[in-house]
Amino acid sequence: NIKFPRPLCLDALGTCIAAHPAVFTGSTDCFALLRHTVCVTLLKNLKGCFDFAILIRSISLLQKLLRDQTLARMLMPELQVLLHIMLDLVNADRSPWQRATSLEFL
């Protein structure tokens, strides 16, 4: 049983999505995986993450989803929730590095 570090997995996934978005838009199974697994993982990572590497890579993955117009259109409800969480990271109760990374994204 091999386990890869979460930041590496997020990077690899982001690279796959950026390089081949048609795989995810053209296959219902791949799109369902993206919607029900990747977006849920991003939600968890952005909502309660205190690990800098994971937060940075999650934001990068979110940016890659937003850059592809077809994926962004198909994932509109999920992306609205994720963008709302990015706005929540700017709150004063968050650490300075979380606020800074969120502001840089926004």
Side-chain angles (χ1 to χ4, degrees), residues 35-46:
R35 172 173 267 163
H36 299 295
T37 305
V38 175
C39 288
V40 170
T41 300
L42 281 177
L43 179 69
K44 290 177 185 175
N45 287 349
L46 295 174

Side-chain angles (χ1 to χ4, degrees), residues 14-41:
T15 301
C16 291
I17 290 170
H20 305 288
V23 169
F24 296 94
T25 58
S27 166
T28 55
D29 291 335
C30 289
F31 182 73
L33 180 69
L34 186 65
R35 172 173 267 163
H36 299 295
T37 305
V38 175
C39 288
V40 170
T41 300

Side-chain angles (χ1 to χ4, degrees), residues 86-100 103:
M86 290 301 297
L87 286 172
D88 286 345
L89 286 175
V90 181
N91 288 340
D93 61 336
R94 297 293 185 150
S95 67
W97 67 268
Q98 287 174 319
R99 290 194 310 264
L103 284 172

Side-chain angles (χ1 to χ4, degrees), residues 30 54 59 69 85:
C30 289
I54 291 172
I59 290 172
Q69 291 180 357
I85 291 171

Side-chain angles (χ1 to χ4, degrees), residues 35-77:
R35 172 173 267 163
H36 299 295
T37 305
V38 175
C39 288
V40 170
T41 300
L42 281 177
L43 179 69
K44 290 177 185 175
N45 287 349
L46 295 174
K47 207 171 194 180
C49 183
F50 298 99
D51 184 311
F52 182 77
I54 291 172
L55 184 65
I56 291 297
R57 284 162 179 88
S58 295
I59 290 172
S60 174
L61 180 54
L62 178 58
Q63 288 173 328
K64 290 173 183 175
L65 290 173
L66 288 168
R67 280 189 193 122
D68 186 88
Q69 291 180 357
T70 306
L71 278 175
R73 202 173 324 109
M74 294 172 74
L75 292 171
M76 187 65 67

